[in-house]
Amino acid sequence: MLKKLDESLLTDLPPFRKLSRPQIREILDAASPLRFDAGVAVFSEGAPVERFFLLMDGHIRVIRTTPGGDQIIALHIAPGQLFGIGAALGRTTYPATAMTADECLALAWPNRLWATFTERYDGFATESYRVIGERVGEMNNRIVELATQAVEQRVACAILRLITQTGRKVEGGIEIGLPITRQNISDMTGTTLHTVSRLLSGWERDGIVMSERRKITVTAPHQLVILSGASA
C-alpha cells in the first residue's frame, strides 16, 4: 500500500509541506498502514507510548477520563493530522484515549522514530510542534469556556468549532463532517444529555440547526454565533 501512496498526496499536510519528495518517501517507507473500524480505541489513556500516527481518513475523538470516572471529549483529530505524539510532550504513556468516530485509515511509526524525524527533518519538527501549539491553545480556550460560559454558550461554541474543523456545505446549511450524537456534545461541554437535547430541540424549532441520528446541520450559522457570545 505504501509503495502505491504517492508522496504528492502528503505534500500539503502540516508534517510534510516543508519537506522534499525524497524526504517524504523516506518517512513513508518507515510507516505501517492501519485500518480501524468505527468506535474502537486506537490506544488508551495510560497505555505505554509505542507508536505515533498520521490520520489519513476518518476522524478521531480524543477522550480524557476525570478522577471521578467521567469521560470528556477534549479534541477531534481530522484527516492529515498527527496524533498519539506522546514523545513530543515528553510522555511515556498516552495522556488520553484515541477513539475512532468513524472508519479510519492511519499510518503508524514506532515511537523511537519521533526523535529521528524531528532531528533529521527540520520542516517535520517545526510544522509538528506548531500543530501541538494550536492544540494547546484550543484546550486552553475550552478550559476558559467551561469555567466562564453558560451551558447554552458552551454547546453553541462546541458546534461552531466542529463545523469550522469538519464542516461541509450541504443543501440547507453546513453539516458537521463526522458522526456526532447528543451524548458526544454532552461529553464535549461538561453538561448533561438532557440539557443538550433540550437545547438542540429548541434550536431546531427556531430553525438554527437540523438534528438527525448521528448528524447535525447548522442552518443559521449567524444565529449560532450570537448564541455562543462570540459576537460580543
Side-chain angles (χ1 to χ4, degrees):
M1 175 258 186
L2 292 180
K3 295 301 182 183
K4 297 179 180 179
L5 185 62
D6 192 274
E7 302 94 296
S8 63
L9 297 176
L10 279 69
T11 53
D12 291 331
L13 302 185
F16 301 99
R17 58 189 171 198
K18 292 188 177 181
L19 303 185
S20 66
R21 287 175 66 103
Q23 289 175 319
I24 295 174
R25 184 74 262 159
E26 290 174 4
I27 293 175
L28 284 177
D29 286 344
S32 299
L34 298 173
R35 188 177 297 276
F36 302 93
D37 292 332
V40 301
V42 179
F43 53 79
S44 298
E45 183 175 349
V49 176
E50 297 178 344
R51 295 183 290 189
F52 62 95
F53 306 83
L54 176 71
L55 185 62
M56 299 299 296
D57 192 31
H59 299 85
I60 296 288
R61 292 190 176 100
V62 179
I63 300 173
R64 296 290 305 271
T65 302
T66 69
D70 295 324
Q71 291 191 331
I72 297 174
I73 298 175
L75 293 168
H76 283 89
I77 305 297
Q81 295 185 8
L82 292 168
F83 68 102
I85 47 180
L89 304 174
R91 299 274 311 210
T92 57
T93 59
Y94 292 114
T97 296
M99 186 71 66
T100 58
D102 42 19
E103 186 174 325
C104 292
L105 175 65
L107 302 181
W109 293 267
N111 193 54
R112 58 181 171 78
L113 289 181
W114 179 264
T116 301
F117 290 172
T118 55
E119 291 171 5
R120 184 177 298 172
Y121 311 113
D122 288 340
F124 183 92
T126 56
E127 291 295 291
S128 296
Y129 284 109
R130 183 187 60 77
V131 171
I132 292 171
E134 291 174 353
R135 289 182 187 168
V136 170
E138 180 178 341
M139 289 296 299
N140 287 339
N141 290 338
R142 293 282 306 282
I143 292 170
V144 171
E145 289 174 9
L146 289 171
T148 64
Q149 292 184 341
V151 172
E152 185 176 49
Q153 287 180 299
R154 298 204 303 268
V155 174
C157 284
I159 294 175
L160 286 171
R161 188 179 298 113
L162 286 171
I163 64 171
T164 298
Q165 295 173 341
T166 72
R168 55 196 179 203
K169 291 185 177 181
V170 297
E171 184 177 355
I174 305 173
E175 180 183 284
I176 293 175
L178 75 161
I180 191 78
T181 66
R182 296 183 177 194
Q183 183 63 58
N184 294 149
I185 295 173
S186 169
D187 293 341
M188 292 172 63
T189 56
T191 188
T192 65
L193 174 60
H194 172 75
T195 299
V196 171
S197 295
R198 175 177 57 80
L199 287 171
L200 288 182
S201 296
W203 293 349
E204 285 191 77
R205 288 193 298 270
D206 294 339
I208 298 172
V209 302
M210 292 190 300
S211 177
E212 304 174 36
R213 185 177 181 273
R214 298 173 63 82
K215 182 186 297 184
I216 293 176
T217 302
V218 177
T219 51
H222 179 67
Q223 292 300 313
L224 199 61
V225 170
I226 293 174
L227 290 171
S228 75
S231 60

